[in-house]
């Protein structure tokens, strides 16, 4: 029964967000010639998503509350009224406000703590949008009259139905986390280390996508659009199957690792300067979609595995994907209007800037993670040296070889007496650290070796001691720790200890 309800929610989400995604492909007037006002109008959708994400994160909201759909309905009514009243400027602004609000509602639905969506629903929604585009760009009768407003209204209808079903299933579940509950286990520094590289990648990919789209008119050729949407549909289908099978958490740079080869193809084939774009067009436009999907699913799995609040990260990711795509388009239009640079020259320049941003972001991410591991290992070694000089037990020796906070013999004897059994027959030594590490392994997808390193590191042992006990090199231990920090979304040993304690709670 629960499986059927989950499938129904996933279908509603895929249909609803797919309709909204398709409506976003409609050509929308941007206020005339390129200017600051027209650029600001283009950025409204992304700005709305970002602002709503910040507000929701501050309020610790965990789902799409009733006020958001009500606001979206009111905005849609105003869009229709402004259009009928002959107010095109107001209609354009209201439409973008409505689109951003409705978009954020679907983001909230995907992150709801009350009823989790399967990961495959995210690429399935993009698949629906890509499939709808075939009918739209082929000019089928269903798509010929006011299809942007029509599909926005259909998306809104799906959202209302989804919300009604969710409330009917669990009317008592709160829209916010309880007071005192931990909305996120990540400090601001850890959050930045976890998500900034993902957001910078979104800005870079979207900017190149926007510049190439307008520079070469890729969305103006019906045949090119159909081929691209076909490739997008195929990519979304592959990702839907992949995420349904592979359910373990993955690293925050996975999206970059998947999409960078596509953009490398765009450079290697040297066709970005051609009018039709060829393989470069497919590589860049499919890469844009893949990055968006993988980033979204990454944040969903982070929220489930680590207990973090993914609202702010997901809102900023989607806002960056929308906003920087529009910025790229505006830059391309300005270059074409000015005539100071040829199309091939600007194509090459935009791709070079993209690679610079990706290399800098990824390098900073890896450097910060490596420094965090080296710092914590140095602190552990200092503590061990200080304990040795003072004649005290080192952190790794506290509680015995098994690392437990072992009780004294008298305490154990009292417990055994209470049970009515001799100590030698009933005493059981529980290795809490090992049990916590195993729970963490299941939670965030650690390997067997990484789990062993977690146990030893949590007990306060240095890289040299861990290497000796596990028969590996100290550098291998550091590599394992970097991967553990990545998977756990942490940047200090104390956060690791807190995370281990949290597995018991």
């Amino acid at each position: 029964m629960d499986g059927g309800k989950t499938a129904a929610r996933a279908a509603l989400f895929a249909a609803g967000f797919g309709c909204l995604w398709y409506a976003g492909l409609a050509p929308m007037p941007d206020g005339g010639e390129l200017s600051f006002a027209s650029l600001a109008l283009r950025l409204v959708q992304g700005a709305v998503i970002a602002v709503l994400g910040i507000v929701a994160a501050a309020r610790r909201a965990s789902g799409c509350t009733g006020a958001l759909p009500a606001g979206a309905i009111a905005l849609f009514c105003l869009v229709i009224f402004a259009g009928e009243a002959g107010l095109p400027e107001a209609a354009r602004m209201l439409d973008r406000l409505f689109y951003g609000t409705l978009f954020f509602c679907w983001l909230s639905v995907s992150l709801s703590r009350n009823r989790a969506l399967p990961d495959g629903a995210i690429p399935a929604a993009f698949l629906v949008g890509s499939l709808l585009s075939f009918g739209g760009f082929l000019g089928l009768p269903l798509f010929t009259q006011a299809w942007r407003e029509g599909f926005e209204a259909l998306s809104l209808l799906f959202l209302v139905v989804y919300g009604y079903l969710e409330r009917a299933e669990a009317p008592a579940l709160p829209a916010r986390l309880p007071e005192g509950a931990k909305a996120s286990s990540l400090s601001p520094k850890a959050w930045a280390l976890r998500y900034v590289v993902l957001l910078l990648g979104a800005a870079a990919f979207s900017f190149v996508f926007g510049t190439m789209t307008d520079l070469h008119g890729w969305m103006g050729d019906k045949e090119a659009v159909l081929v691209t949407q076909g490739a997008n549909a195929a990519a979304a289908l592959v990702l839907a199957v992949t995420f349904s099978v592979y359910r373990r958490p993955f690293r925050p740079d996975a999206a970059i690792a998947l999409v960078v080869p596509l953009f490398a193809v765009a450079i290697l084939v040297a066709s970005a300067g051609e009018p039709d774009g060829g393989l470069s067009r497919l590589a860049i436009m499919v890469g844009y979609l893949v990055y968006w999907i993988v980033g979204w699913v990454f944040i969903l799995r982070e929220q489930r595995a680590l207990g973090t609040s993914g609202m702010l990260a997901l809102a900023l990711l989607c806002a960056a994907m929308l906003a920087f795509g529009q910025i790229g388009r505006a830059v391309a239009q300005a270059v074409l209007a000015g005539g100071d640079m040829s199309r091939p020259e600007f194509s090459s320049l935009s791709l070079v800037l993209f690679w610079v941003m990706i290399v800098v972001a990824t390098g900073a991410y890896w450097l910060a993670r490596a420094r965090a591991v080296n710092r914590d290992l140095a602190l552990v070694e200092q503590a061990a040296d200080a304990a040795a000089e003072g004649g005290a037990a080192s952190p790794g020796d506290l509680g015995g070889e098994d690392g437990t906070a072992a009780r004294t013999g008298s305490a154990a004897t009292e417990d055994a007496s209470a049970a009515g059994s001799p100590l030698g027959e009933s005493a059981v030594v529980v290795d809490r650290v090992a049990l916590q590490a195993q729970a963490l392994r299941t939670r965030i997808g650690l390997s067997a070796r990484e789990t062993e390193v977690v146990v030893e590191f949590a007990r306060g042992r240095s890289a040299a001691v861990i290497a000796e006990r596990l028969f590996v090199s100290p550098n291998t231990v550091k590599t394992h720790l970097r991967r553990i920090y990545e998977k756990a979304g942490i940047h200090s040993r104390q956060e690791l200890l807190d995370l281990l304690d949290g597995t018991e709670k």
Side-chain angles (χ1 to χ4, degrees):
M1 187 67 176
D2 290 340
K5 292 180 179 179
T6 300
R9 288 196 302 271
L12 280 173
F13 176 85
F17 184 80
C19 288
L20 184 65
W21 179 257
Y22 174 54
L25 297 175
M28 187 70 179
D30 53 21
E33 297 182 357
L34 183 63
S35 63
F36 178 80
S38 64
L39 177 59
L41 184 62
R42 294 182 182 188
L43 299 180
V44 167
Q45 296 172 163
V48 168
I49 295 171
V51 170
L52 289 176
I54 294 171
V55 172
R59 296 178 62 247
R60 301 183 301 116
S62 62
C64 186
T65 61
L68 280 173
I73 293 172
L75 284 171
F76 183 72
C77 293
L78 290 175
V79 171
I80 301 301
F81 174 78
E84 294 295 330
L87 303 172
E89 293 81 6
R92 284 196 294 268
M93 175 61 72
L94 289 169
D95 182 80
R96 282 163 169 77
L97 290 171
F98 165 69
Y99 188 92
T101 303
L102 186 56
F103 201 110
F104 180 79
C105 287
W106 284 116
L107 299 187
S108 300
V109 163
S110 71
L111 289 174
S112 173
R113 297 176 186 271
N114 298 344
R115 292 289 183 267
L117 279 175
D119 296 336
I122 307 304
F126 287 91
L127 172 63
V128 170
S130 297
L131 292 177
L132 285 174
S133 68
F134 283 101
F137 287 100
L138 285 175
L140 296 183
L142 178 63
F143 302 91
T144 54
Q145 295 181 353
W147 57 277
R148 178 183 174 95
E149 290 81 4
F151 275 90
E152 285 177 337
L154 191 57
S155 177
L156 182 58
L157 176 62
F158 279 121
L159 179 69
V160 172
V161 173
Y162 188 102
Y164 174 78
L165 293 179
E166 189 176 51
R167 286 192 296 272
E169 289 181 33
L173 288 177
R176 295 191 191 185
L177 295 174
E179 290 297 330
K182 209 170 185 181
S184 173
S185 60
L186 300 181
S187 65
K189 183 177 180 180
W191 187 96
L193 188 62
R194 191 67 172 170
Y195 294 118
V196 163
V197 64
L198 186 70
L199 299 179
L200 287 177
F205 285 119
S206 302
F207 180 81
V208 173
F209 168 80
T211 56
M212 294 301 179
T213 298
D214 265 39
L215 197 61
H216 304 296
W218 286 344
M219 297 300 290
D221 184 348
K222 180 187 296 186
E223 182 178 353
V225 169
L226 292 176
V227 172
T228 300
Q229 293 301 331
N232 282 341
L237 179 60
V238 170
L239 288 175
V241 174
T242 300
F243 288 135
S244 298
V245 175
Y246 183 82
R247 300 182 179 181
R248 295 172 59 184
F250 48 87
R251 290 172 5 201
D253 57 348
I256 293 178
L258 282 174
V259 180
V260 159
L262 293 175
F263 278 66
V265 168
I267 294 178
L268 293 176
V269 299
S271 61
E274 298 175 8
D276 62 351
L279 186 57
S280 288
R281 180 187 69 244
L282 287 179
I284 290 174
M285 300 189 79
V286 173
Y288 175 78
L289 185 75
V290 169
Y291 190 91
W292 202 327
I293 294 174
V294 174
W296 193 332
V297 174
F298 165 74
I299 294 171
L300 285 181
R301 293 190 176 183
E302 288 283 284
Q303 177 171 283
R304 287 198 296 264
L306 304 178
T308 61
S309 174
M311 183 61 69
L312 180 60
L314 183 57
L316 293 181
L317 171 71
C318 294
M321 298 297 288
L322 290 172
F324 281 90
Q326 293 298 328
I327 292 173
R329 291 187 59 200
V331 172
Q333 291 178 8
V335 169
L336 292 176
D340 298 329
M341 190 178 298
S342 66
R343 292 174 187 265
E345 290 174 344
F346 185 71
S347 296
S348 300
L349 178 61
S350 62
L351 289 173
V352 168
L353 291 176
F354 158 77
W355 281 105
V356 169
M357 182 177 290
I358 290 298
V359 169
V360 170
T362 306
Y365 168 77
W366 283 104
L367 179 62
R369 190 67 73 194
R371 290 181 60 186
V373 169
N374 292 334
R375 176 202 63 208
D376 288 345
L377 286 172
L379 291 175
V380 168
E381 291 176 0
Q382 289 175 9
D385 292 341
E389 291 176 1
S394 66
D397 295 330
L398 294 177
E401 181 64 19
D402 61 1
T404 59
R407 296 172 298 179
T408 64
S410 60
T413 302
E414 291 174 1
D415 287 353
S417 300
S421 301
L423 177 62
E425 296 179 5
S426 63
V428 177
V429 177
V430 178
D431 189 345
R432 290 182 58 195
V433 175
L435 290 176
Q436 291 170 342
Q438 287 297 329
L440 185 63
R441 176 184 182 181
T442 303
R443 189 175 173 186
I444 65 175
L446 296 176
S447 67
R449 180 63 80 183
E450 289 168 350
T451 305
E452 292 175 340
V453 172
V454 165
V455 172
E456 301 297 334
F457 190 54
R459 289 170 176 162
R461 297 193 171 100
S462 65
V465 174
I466 296 174
E468 182 179 354
R469 295 175 65 88
L470 301 182
F471 303 102
V472 295
S473 70
N475 286 334
T476 301
V477 172
K478 293 179 181 180
T479 299
H480 284 311
L481 285 173
R482 282 195 293 269
R483 291 174 180 170
I484 292 165
Y485 277 29
E486 291 160 11
K487 292 180 179 180
I490 58 177
H491 75 293
S492 71
R493 179 173 176 269
Q494 184 57 52
E495 287 182 328
L496 176 61
L497 298 178
D498 293 342
L499 195 58
L500 289 171
D501 288 339
T503 58
E504 282 189 327
K505 299 174 185 178

